[in-house]
Amino acid sequence: MGTGYRRVLLKLSGEALMGSMGYGIDPEVVNSIASEVKEVVATGVQLAIVVGGGNIFRGMKAASAGMDRATADYIGMIATVMNAMTLQESLERIGVQTRLQTAIAMQEVAEPYIRRKAIRHLELGRVVIFGAGSGNPFFTTDTTAALRAAEIDAEVIFKATKVDGVYDCDPHTNSNAKRYKSLTYAHVLNNELRVMDSTAIALCKENNIPILVFDLNTRGNIHRAVMGESIGTIVGGSCEIS
Ligand code: UDP
């Protein structure tokens, strides 16, 4: 049991909002994430969230089908805003104060990304949601999470996923697969483990930001993670099997 974190960046993939549906947003899943976020913020931790868009549109996939990559990526970034607005609405409905900042200006629906303002919102206890990725094509929302975490001086990135950590091989196909308790950035990069894309990992390595990978589907996990409980896999330490 650790001492808990003060400022956290939570990365929610688009797929996390999709639940078991094949596409789009499952309102029940979003509401459940929102209620967990409410509990966590009530403890006083400052929380910023980067939202992905893979449940709606992925630039790379559209590009491989022939679309211009940069255009496809801009569409992907706009898709993340739909997710971000949905999450914002869900949080506000249960009384959580939020601000949505987008890296592509959409002043009718969101504030533009302004680093100092984002930090101020966090200090005032507001959940800051970052939409539209980094605003640049050829990047991902994982890389955005690493970038924003460094910018706002977050102590850790929470990468909430569908698995309960990082394994040495695929646990679905190999019953002897072992889960890591902790891992070095170098191990993740050298072995191409799918924690986050390599640009994101490199950015975290350079800025010494640990990444905690854990299962979002287990209720209460965001809270456990914030409290510093030993769940999932932490990238940024030494290599240890749990
Ligand atoms: N994207 C981008 N630049 C960014 C962030 C995202 O171009 O800084 C685009 C990219 O096309 C990506 C899409 O937005 O495929 C959706 O984001 P991502 O795939 O990272 O979402 P996730 O996998 O987390 O759902």
Side-chain angles (χ1 to χ4, degrees):
M1 183 90 177
T3 50
Y5 294 106
R6 176 190 53 91
R7 185 176 291 165
V8 171
L9 191 134
L10 171 67
K11 164 68 209 296
L12 288 177
S13 69
E15 278 177 9
L17 308 181
M18 185 168 80
S20 54
M21 305 187 339
Y23 179 84
I25 305 168
D26 182 339
E28 263 183 48
V29 172
V30 179
N31 289 341
S32 149
I33 295 171
S35 76
E36 263 202 70
V37 165
K38 181 177 178 167
E39 284 166 29
V40 165
V41 174
T43 68
V45 65
Q46 297 177 14
L47 192 70
I49 307 177
V50 168
V51 188
N55 55 326
I56 301 171
F57 199 91
R58 266 186 213 286
M60 196 113 86
K61 197 169 162 209
S64 65
M67 196 184 231
D68 168 65
R69 172 72 192 270
T71 305
D73 278 342
Y74 278 111
I75 298 170
M77 285 186 265
I78 288 166
T80 73
V81 181
M82 293 196 222
N83 286 332
M85 288 177 69
T86 307
L87 179 63
Q88 178 180 40
E89 197 280 333
S90 187
L91 284 165
E92 293 270 343
R93 198 169 352 119
I94 55 171
V96 181
Q97 281 210 30
T98 68
R99 291 293 184 276
L100 170 60
Q101 293 198 341
T102 55
I104 293 173
M106 291 189 197
Q107 59 188 8
E108 284 77 7
V109 292
E111 290 181 1
Y113 172 63
I114 299 171
R115 174 179 165 265
R116 291 171 63 105
K117 249 185 141 174
I119 292 171
R120 185 75 188 129
H121 290 319
L122 291 170
E123 286 169 352
L124 292 171
R126 297 169 182 150
V127 173
V128 178
I129 304 171
F130 294 122
S134 65
N136 305 295
F138 303 98
F139 286 88
T140 63
T141 51
D142 278 356
T143 303
T144 307
L147 173 66
R148 295 290 184 249
E151 286 187 88
I152 64 167
D153 199 20
E155 295 159 280
V156 62
I157 294 176
F158 285 177
K159 165 88 179 174
T161 66
K162 287 179 177 170
V163 285
D164 64 353
V166 184
Y167 286 79
D168 60 350
C169 55
D170 187 349
H172 296 297
T173 53
N174 191 335
S175 57
N176 291 323
K178 292 189 181 64
R179 181 160 60 87
Y180 288 102
K181 187 174 160 54
S182 64
L183 272 175
T184 61
Y185 300 109
H187 190 91
V188 172
L189 288 171
N190 296 340
N191 294 281
E192 297 181 358
L193 298 178
R194 291 184 186 189
V195 176
M196 282 179 144
D197 58 80
S198 55
T199 314
I201 300 290
L203 207 51
C204 288
K205 181 169 186 265
E206 216 164 277
N207 294 288
N208 268 315
I209 304 167
I211 306 154
L212 180 67
V213 183
F214 65 90
D215 179 14
L216 183 68
N217 298 319
T218 305
R219 215 188 134 73
N221 258 358
I222 304 178
H223 190 248
R224 283 181 203 105
V226 162
M227 298 315 287
E229 278 184 40
S230 164
I231 60 165
T233 301
I234 190 129
V235 180
S238 53
C239 285
E240 245 184 86
I241 296 280
S242 58

